Structure formats: C-alpha cells, structure tokens
Amino acid sequence: MSATYTGITLVVLVAARIIYQHYFHPLAHIPGPFWASVTNLHRFYYDYIRNGTYYRQFERYQAKYGPVIRISPSEILLTDPTHYDKLYSMTTDFYKDPTFYRLTGTDDALFAIVRNEDHSRYRALLNPFFSRRSVLEQGTMVRAKVEKLLRRIERDSEKGVTTEIWAGFRAISVDVITEYAFGTERCWNFLEKQDFGIWYNHLARTVVPMMYVFQVAPWLQKPMQAMPIWLAKVLNPIVAGMLEMVEVTRVDVERVMRDIEDGVKPERETIFHTVLDAEKVKAQGMQVPTVQHMVDEAFGFLGAASETAGNAMTICAFHVLYNPEIHKRLRAELVQAFPDASKVSFMALEKLPYLTAVVKEGLRLSYGVLHPLPRVTPTTVEFNGKVLPKGSVVSMTSWLMHRNPEAFPDPEKYDPERWLDPAMAFYLERFLVPFSKGRRICIGQPLAMCEVYMAIGMLFRRFDDLKAIDVGPEDLVYEDYFGAFHPKKARKFKVMRVGQE
Ligand code: HEM
C-alpha cells in the first residue's frame, strides 16, 4: 500500500514539476522545444547520449522558434548576432554562469572565475604574460616546435608512411603551452613521441563529457573528484583518468613551487612565477594562490590551449590540401614572400593577405569553442521583444555566428576569397568570434594566432608535394564536449609527401 502511495506521490510531483517548468517558470514565455523547457535530460540526450550534438539542433530551433530560444529549463540561446557585443563586451555586466563553469571542476582558474571584479584583478596579473609582446619574444620557441613536426613529416614520407598530422598539430599546441607556461624543462615534448602523446587527447575526450553528467546529477561531481585514484580505477576508469591527469599536473606545479621557495632562477619566468609573485598579487588586493589553485590553473590552461589550437591548425591545413587552387595560390604567396624558407617569421606571415584569409576562414570553420557560452543577466533585459528577468542565463554560440548566411553565404564552403576585400573583411570580423570577445576573450589568442600562422605558413612554404590521405570533410565534423573533438570513428587527417609515395 505504502509503495503505491509513494509511486502516486512521485508521479504527482513529477507532473507538478513539468507543469511548473513549462507554464509558470519565469522563462515559460520563451519558445523552445517542450522537453527542453521541462528537463535538462533533453540536452543531456544530445550532449551525452548522442555524442555532443546538441549544437547541431540549433539551426532547426532557430527556424522554428525564432531568435530567442529556451534550450534548457534555465538557459536561453540568442541567435541574433547583434546581441554578441552585449553579452561579451569589455564593459558588460553580464557574468559567467557559475552553475555551468563549476562543472569544469577548476573553480579557482581564470577561466571559471564568476565575479567580473575578481576576474578583472586576476586577469590584469596574467595579461602581460600572455601579451602579444611576450608571444613575439617566444617566436623562436614556436618555430622550433613546428620545425619538429615538419622534420617528422619528412622522415615518415621517406619511409613511405603517412603522418598523423591532426595529432601532430595537437602536439604543437601542448608543447607550446607547457613550455610557455611551465618552463622549458617542463615541456611535455609530445612532438618527440612516436604517437605525438595522443593519450592526452584520448583522456580529455573521455573526461570532459563528464561535465554533462554533472549537469544532470550535480551531487555526483564532488564525490567523484574527491575519490582516491585506486578506488576510482576499480569503480570507473574514466574518473581515474581524470584524477591521474590532475595528479600529473600537481607534480609539475609542486616542482615549480619548490624551485621558487629554493630561489632557483628559471631561464624564463613561468606562469607560476607570475601568479606567485607575492608583491604583485597583494598589490591587486588578492591572496597568494594555493597549490590547488595553481593546479586548477595549469589544468585550465592546458585544457583551453590544446584542442582549440589543434583544431584550428587541422581545419586550415585540411582545407588547403583539399582545394588544389587554394593550395597553389597560398604556396605562390609564401614562396614569393620567403625566397629563403628558413626566414619565415610570424610578423612577416601576418602581413600576407592570402595566408591571412586562409587562417580566418580556417578559424571560422573550426569554430573555436562552439558550445554556447552562458552568461547571467545582471538586470531585467529585453532581447528581440522578449523580456528576461534578472538572473536569467543567456548564451550565444560561434556555431551560429560563423554560419550566419547573411555574412557567409554557403557557410559550409571553405572560401578564403570572402576575406580578401578589406571593407568586406571589416564587416565579416564582427561575426568571427572563435576566441569570443570582451572581458572574457581568450587570453591565449596572441599565442594561438602565432601557432596557427607559423604552422600553416611553415608547412606550406616547406612542402609543395603534401597530400591528405584517405580523409574527407565528413571526418572533420565535431562532437561538442565544451572542447570540440572529431568523432572517434572518423578517419584521421593524415598526410604524406606524394613525391615520396
Ligand atoms: C585557436 C585556439 C584557441 C581558441 C579558438 C580559443 C577559444 C577560447 C574561447 C572561445 C574562450 C572563451 C570561453 C568562455 O567564455 O567560456 C577562451 C578563453 C580562454 N582561453 Fe582560449 N582559445 C584558444 C587558445 C588558447 C590558448 C593557446 C590558451 C593558453 C594560453 C588559451 C587560454 C584560455 C583561457 C585561460 C581562457 C579564459 C580567459 C578568461 O576567462 O579570462 N586559449 N578561449
């Protein structure tokens, strides 16, 4: 009898919840799919069960529901590009949605700080470390990493084997960020590994989807992250993988902190030396960070830097090789600009109009972070005639910005031509948001741009006989786990010099 009552009570409670969410919730007036309005399980279905494909529903939703869409019980997706500068500007009062960013498990990291005031203080400390000027000083380091990949392609092609260039590009981004941020002696040197250290990519794509599990079952997050590694290994290899990743990083951070305590002067200051400089930190009115904070930070930087830059290089290089006319034109520009291939430099590459168009179009189709970036509204706001109460969560996505048909007709087409007319390029820039914009714009943008220009410029200046082997555009679609990953079963982007076939 009591089981029956419990059952009935549960059904009534669930029904009441559904009715409330759909008809009486403060966002009930915003159109969107029925199930999205009543439960997070709707997005979980696409995000987790259907392998990170929620973003692929957005164009359909936009056509059906208009520019303001309720994509989960508490989140509104905006599709009108004119709103981008309201959410993501330097002066905006919109702030990162804590419910979402805490799912990353790196609460103290720059990436996840919620309050704009706290973020501005901390970011001011880090900005000089990642400034364009600092990046230019590290141009030789980036060149050396790219050079390693080019030599590897040469060696592989001489042996008649293909090079997994998609993994090589990721190795560039991991080696660059670990050396840039943690110091020369702590570079992970993935470019020297036969498999380009691809375990990191595998681990990341196994671990990050856990965010979506935590989104529907937040009570799981703390116990899972606090679990000892031995127990995690027994219970769940995915969680064990995540914890191992944190431990690897902790060992690195502790080593640097010991060096600082022992007064060991590094060849070059690391991000930890910057953030642990007690005087500077206190001048910003902040506390000197703890080991855990530094681990979060390192973890955040690695995560933010690796797949994003790897994807950008992959998409650019693939499309150049896939389009012989583009390849020919790019190569001609590079040969003319650098008669001596060893003289390629970032500053000179940036000035080349066709390469710049190739890079911009690559950034457009690599999307950066295509997951909607959620922000909380600081006051009551109105978008396209829909009023949202203070404290609502709104988001926009590069997926829709970069495919806006008014700006980019035939948006799937890789077409550097779009960017060649300066006036047109100026107009298109406002839709191009791979790094987001405003106060939370990617701090690594100058470093990432240096990597992409150097990798693409050096690759196509060096080789005129490179070919993509057994891969097509259908293999380079994305699964969105807040980082974008190519499907596990897709063919991988490999190259070989055809002169050597
Ligand atoms: C092509 C490569 C890259 C792309 C497309 C990219 C994209 C982005 C985007 C869209 C954001 C905003 C995320 C949000 O609002 O939630 C972001 C933030 C961030 N990125 Fe990148 N990123 C790239 C490379 C890098 C690199 C190389 C680093 C390392 C230095 C980095 C570190 C960060 C950090 C720390 C943040 C948080 C900034 C803040 O909140 O102040 N990213 N990135």
Side-chain angles (χ1 to χ4, degrees):
M1 196 62 164
S2 72
T4 316
Y5 278 131
T6 312
I8 293 171
T9 312
L10 267 177
V11 170
V12 169
L13 283 175
V14 170
R17 174 97 187 147
I18 289 177
I19 290 168
Y20 168 77
Q21 296 282 41
H22 192 67
Y23 294 104
F24 300 104
H25 188 280
L27 300 176
H29 60 296
I30 306 298
F34 172 80
W35 287 109
S37 72
V38 298
T39 171
N40 267 323
L41 289 171
H42 174 82
R43 77 185 302 164
F44 181 76
Y45 169 73
Y46 289 108
D47 278 340
Y48 195 80
I49 316 267
R50 299 286 302 273
N51 303 323
T53 55
Y54 199 26
Y55 75 94
R56 286 193 218 158
Q57 315 310 314
F58 296 159
E59 275 162 336
R60 191 165 55 82
Y61 290 172
Q62 184 182 13
K64 188 162 176 191
Y65 302 109
V68 183
I69 312 160
R70 193 174 177 196
I71 55 165
S72 79
S74 58
E75 185 172 332
I76 304 301
L77 181 75
L78 306 175
T79 71
D80 179 344
T82 58
H83 298 318
Y84 205 88
D85 287 334
K86 294 179 199 148
L87 268 62
Y88 312 101
S89 78
M90 282 313 286
T91 51
T92 185
D93 290 332
F94 287 67
Y95 53 93
K96 281 196 170 180
D97 171 22
T99 318
F100 178 76
Y101 284 92
R102 285 195 185 130
L103 299 171
T104 60
T106 54
D107 295 5
D108 288 330
L110 178 71
F111 193 75
I113 295 177
V114 168
R115 273 169 42 98
N116 286 333
E117 301 71 30
D118 297 342
H119 171 263
S120 297
R121 278 205 296 270
Y122 190 33
R123 175 118 182 191
L125 209 61
L126 284 169
N127 272 338
F129 189 78
F130 288 101
S131 67
R132 180 174 159 84
R133 196 166 147 201
S134 296
V135 168
L136 290 179
E137 284 166 14
Q138 292 299 304
T140 339
M141 184 267 277
V142 176
R143 169 202 297 278
K145 305 296 178 215
V146 177
E147 188 58 42
K148 281 188 186 176
L149 179 61
L150 302 191
R151 293 233 178 95
R152 170 70 181 271
I153 294 172
E154 276 166 354
R155 283 199 308 276
D156 284 347
S157 292
E158 275 163 22
K159 287 189 233 153
V161 295
T162 56
T163 306
E164 299 255 349
I165 196 168
W166 74 281
F169 285 141
R170 277 150 187 77
I172 292 182
S173 55
V174 170
D175 283 4
V176 166
I177 187 62
T178 49
E179 180 155 341
Y180 190 95
F182 311 158
T184 318
E185 61 287 14
R186 288 184 190 82
C187 175
W188 284 16
N189 286 321
F190 277 2
L191 284 157
E192 286 166 18
K193 309 272 189 280
Q194 182 57 30
D195 67 352
F196 291 122
I198 206 59
W199 64 267
Y200 180 74
N201 166 274
H202 291 162
L203 195 54
R205 76 163 294 146
T206 310
V207 167
V208 232
M210 288 302 289
M211 277 181 75
Y212 296 145
V213 176
F214 299 148
Q215 199 162 32
V216 287
W219 42 271
L220 267 177
Q221 187 173 2
K222 283 249 166 342
M224 276 187 144
Q225 283 164 353
M227 201 181 284
I229 293 184
W230 65 265
L231 179 60
K233 273 187 180 151
V234 176
L235 294 177
N236 185 337
I238 299 178
V239 183
M242 174 163 71
L243 297 177
E244 262 171 21
M245 199 155 145
V246 172
E247 277 316 302
V248 169
T249 315
R250 184 187 303 279
V251 171
D252 266 344
V253 171
E254 282 175 347
R255 244 186 269 152
V256 176
M257 289 180 106
R258 263 199 312 277
D259 283 358
I260 293 173
E261 270 169 32
D262 298 346
V264 178
K265 280 268 165 228
E267 241 174 67
R268 179 180 158 266
E269 294 246 313
T270 65
I271 185 176
F272 305 116
H273 293 89
T274 307
V275 175
L276 294 166
D277 183 328
E279 260 177 47
K280 274 198 221 155
V281 174
K282 286 185 180 146
Q284 287 289 346
M286 292 164 50
Q287 302 278 331
V288 178
T290 60
V291 174
Q292 184 55 45
H293 179 164
M294 286 287 84
V295 172
D296 280 2
E297 203 56 87
F299 199 42
F301 270 93
L302 258 169
S306 50
E307 291 304 312
T308 45
N311 282 337
M313 291 182 258
T314 300
I315 296 293
C316 275
F318 169 77
H319 285 290
V320 172
L321 290 176
Y322 197 68
N323 293 281
E325 277 311 308
I326 295 174
H327 188 179
K328 209 163 120 194
R329 196 161 163 194
L330 176 64
R331 168 101 186 134
E333 183 182 64
L334 288 166
V335 171
Q336 197 192 17
F338 306 104
D340 177 349
S342 68
K343 295 277 188 303
V344 173
S345 75
F346 172 43
M347 277 172 75
L349 286 169
E350 276 183 313
K351 297 196 179 87
L352 300 182
Y354 197 68
L355 173 64
T356 297
V358 161
V359 168
K360 286 200 170 142
E361 191 64 351
L363 286 170
R364 184 179 75 81
L365 285 182
S366 69
Y367 298 101
V369 180
L370 47 70
H371 195 283
L373 304 176
R375 301 292 188 262
V376 181
T377 61
T379 51
T380 301
V381 279
E382 187 181 324
F383 293 106
N384 303 90
K386 305 275 186 229
V387 177
L388 306 180
K390 176 180 172 182
S392 305
V393 177
V394 285
S395 60
M396 295 187 72
T397 162
S398 59
W399 174 252
L400 294 179
M401 293 290 286
H402 291 190
R403 295 163 69 84
N404 186 299
E406 268 170 43
F408 306 107
D410 196 1
E412 296 266 336
K413 185 176 175 200
Y414 180 84
D415 184 8
E417 213 69 32
R418 303 179 199 274
W419 300 94
L420 288 176
D421 170 43
M424 190 56 172
F426 182 76
Y427 165 72
L428 294 181
E429 286 288 347
R430 73 184 73 159
F431 296 87
L432 186 69
V433 292
F435 298 99
S436 186
K437 280 188 175 175
R439 63 192 324 155
R440 305 308 290 257
I441 192 173
C442 175
I443 198 171
Q445 180 175 2
L447 184 60
M449 290 306 276
C450 177
E451 289 177 42
V452 178
Y453 267 98
M454 290 295 272
I456 301 304
M458 286 173 70
L459 183 73
F460 291 107
R461 175 60 189 86
R462 176 75 57 88
F463 304 123
D464 61 356
D465 57 355
L466 209 58
K467 199 174 152 198
I469 308 289
D470 187 28
V471 64
E474 65 281 9
D475 298 303
L476 294 172
V477 295
Y478 285 134
E479 293 177 358
D480 169 28
Y481 299 120
F482 197 40
F485 294 84
H486 305 304
K488 266 190 195 153
K489 288 190 181 142
R491 292 170 301 172
K492 302 293 180 257
F493 175 30
K494 302 174 288 300
V495 294
M496 194 170 163
R497 299 185 64 189
V498 283
Q500 315 277 328
E501 245 176 345

